[in-house]
Amino acid sequence: MSDSRHRGGFATRAVRAGQEPDAVTHAHATPIVQTSTFVLGDLERGERLFSGEEHGDVYSRIGNPTVRALEAKLASLEGAEGAVAFGSGMGAIAATFLSLLRAGDEVLFLGPLYGGTRGLLDELLPRFGVSARRVDDDTLEDAIGPATRMLYVESPTNPTLAIHDLDLVGMVARRHGLLAVADTTFATPALTRGLEHGLDLVIHSATKYLSGHGDVLAGIVAGRTELLEAIRMEGLRHVGATLTPLAAYLVLRGMRTLHLRMRAHCDNARAVAHALRAAPGVRHVHWPGFTDHPRHDVAKRQMADFGGMVAVELDGGRAAAAAFLGALRLFDDAVSLGDVASLACHPASTTHQLLSADVLRQDGVHEGLVRLSVGVEDGDDLVDDVLQATAVAALVSA
Ligand code: 3LM
């Protein structure tokens, strides 16, 4: 790859990194190399490729040129040595845990976490001798024990947009020789680059903002080569949550406009958050851009802007949430996020349904909470829509 495509500002790399005209066909767009296997040539070369003595593709579960282009682009945007792509965000998260942890290890996580990740840590990994414990930012360092191997965090968190101090997590991990891993799906590298804050690995559900158009499932891990090699050769090769070439192409195409989309998502979320805060029947609006958000100062330091997600807690609990969701016209009632089209969901009954009542209470996932993934439609239209929906919801709680 020519150097010029690795250099330059974020927008230049979003458009260019990882994408070269094809050497064989001269195609300008990155080819979708839709093949399961690659011809090895002869027995000797096959053996060298399989032993790693020679680099080259052998089988698309482990590596594929289209997938590699996506990995190169994300690595460039995160300022990482490399990246490994997966068939979903959960595939990336599970592969990271399975590759880097072993029986007896403990993960300390700064809650809250996405329901799927929490399920993996609370229920699946303990069956294989890996334990997980939730800790607070303030007491993180004191909580470290002899078995602690990894610190894990999301920022901003799903769904209530809590912010964790990534510099602190990176510093504590370094001081104790631990791995520091963050899921920065809600921020994307356009807003936060975790490796610059001293983390070892960052993980994304590329299903969300990275692809940006709600038409593909994908995940990706970026960081140091040594860790990524373990993740590729164990978590990817042996578990097989592989990204397909067509899906990789869709993520790659989406990422070319990441910087433009994030700007619009952030601007619209800002307008929606302010409008909701002043609306009747609204108990609380979660958005890290408010100066009275508990970690607004940290968000300002580690985010270029405050993201496209807003969570609104309505007076009137579940009935008000149902009325609000039913009244929205531009926000589609669907889980997932980061789509150019606005989405709204009720986390307590969907994304976070499997969590215990105690965890939901601790995480502030109340029955009246609705999560908004604010899209890139006209901001005024979105504000009008949430205001008319809060008026409907307020009738329920009146
Ligand atoms: C959701 N979230 O609607 P995939 N990390 C974070 C996430 O939010 C998610 C994942 C990882 C949602 C998906 S819920 C049924 C739909 C912060 C996913 C997992 O495996 O690509 O879905 O990523 O909150």
Side-chain angles (χ1 to χ4, degrees):
M1 183 181 304
S2 65
D3 268 345
S4 63
R5 286 167 198 252
H6 267 315
R7 292 207 201 100
F10 190 90
T12 304
R13 286 175 288 125
V15 175
R16 295 280 179 171
Q19 298 193 263
E20 286 284 309
D22 185 56
V24 176
T25 62
H26 307 290
H28 184 240
T30 302
I32 300 165
V33 183
Q34 191 69 29
T35 186
S36 54
T37 198
F38 298 83
V39 176
L40 301 175
D42 58 58
L43 187 148
E44 300 301 331
R45 181 167 180 269
E47 189 168 42
R48 286 198 303 280
L49 286 168
F50 270 78
S51 71
E53 197 184 321
E54 184 176 329
H55 287 294
D57 288 312
V58 294
Y59 190 57
S60 283
R61 170 155 40 80
I62 312 159
N64 171 284
T66 316
V67 176
R68 202 155 42 249
L70 163 62
E71 292 169 342
K73 191 186 287 294
L74 193 271
S76 172
L77 296 185
E78 290 285 5
E81 288 176 13
V84 182
F86 289 86
S88 69
M90 285 315 301
I93 294 166
T96 300
F97 290 150
L98 290 174
S99 306
L100 303 180
L101 299 169
R102 57 202 65 239
D105 285 347
E106 179 190 54
V107 179
L108 295 185
F109 64 94
L110 295 170
L113 296 179
Y114 169 60
T117 309
R118 190 74 197 258
L120 199 53
L121 287 173
D122 283 349
E123 280 155 40
L124 192 58
L125 290 180
R127 289 191 225 152
F128 300 91
V130 173
S131 61
R133 195 153 48 98
R134 179 180 178 147
V135 296
D136 290 328
D137 300 48
D138 309 338
T139 51
L140 170 62
E141 193 151 19
D142 297 337
I144 293 169
T148 308
R149 168 94 180 114
M150 180 186 286
L151 306 181
Y152 189 89
V153 65
E154 275 175 28
S155 193
T157 65
N158 186 356
T160 50
L161 308 168
I163 300 291
H164 293 291
D165 185 339
L166 300 183
D167 286 307
L168 173 78
V169 175
M171 188 186 69
V172 170
R174 259 194 318 283
R175 207 143 58 198
H176 294 267
L178 307 174
L179 292 171
V181 182
D183 176 338
T184 48
T185 295
F186 276 38
T188 82
L191 305 184
T192 299
R193 288 175 291 281
L195 306 177
E196 292 175 4
H197 296 277
L199 302 179
D200 295 294
L201 294 169
V202 292
I203 304 185
H204 296 280
S205 166
T207 311
K208 313 295 177 346
Y209 291 106
L210 293 183
S211 59
H213 295 74
D215 50 10
V216 66
L217 281 162
I220 195 153
V221 188
R224 288 207 312 276
T225 306
E226 163 216 349
L227 297 173
L228 295 174
E229 271 310 295
I231 291 171
R232 185 184 298 282
M233 297 317 281
E234 294 177 344
L236 180 64
R237 186 173 58 153
H238 293 156
V239 183
T242 299
L243 186 65
T244 65
L246 176 57
Y249 178 82
L250 290 171
V251 181
L252 200 54
R253 183 166 71 169
M255 283 175 67
R256 299 188 106 169
T257 55
L258 179 67
H259 51 299
L260 303 174
R261 288 185 286 105
M262 289 313 290
R263 213 173 292 150
H265 283 296
C266 291
D267 287 346
N268 285 348
R270 180 179 293 106
V272 164
H274 279 103
L276 280 172
R277 190 135 110 148
V282 169
R283 184 168 299 176
H284 188 72
V285 180
H286 301 268
W287 178 64
F290 288 131
T291 52
D292 58 0
H293 182 284
R295 295 254 170 75
H296 176 69
D297 53 332
V298 179
K300 248 169 82 175
R301 177 155 45 77
Q302 71 191 23
M303 300 180 78
D305 203 338
F306 301 108
M309 300 298 294
V310 176
V312 55
E313 198 184 328
L314 300 162
D315 289 333
R318 188 182 176 97
F324 181 76
L325 281 170
L328 287 168
R329 296 185 192 116
L330 272 178
F331 286 76
D332 298 315
D333 176 8
V335 298
S336 203
L337 56 117
D339 194 315
V340 287
S342 293
L343 303 174
C345 80
H346 182 242
S349 63
T350 59
T351 53
H352 292 65
Q353 190 199 99
L354 293 179
L355 300 183
S356 71
D358 278 351
V359 171
L360 292 180
R361 205 170 314 112
Q362 188 180 14
D363 291 355
V365 185
H366 302 302
E367 285 289 350
L369 188 81
V370 175
R371 188 188 73 184
L372 300 173
S373 170
V374 183
V376 303
E377 300 93 340
D378 283 312
D380 290 347
D381 291 340
L382 296 175
V383 166
D384 287 349
D385 195 31
V386 295
L387 289 182
Q388 65 80 24
T390 51
V392 173
L395 295 177
V396 171
S397 51

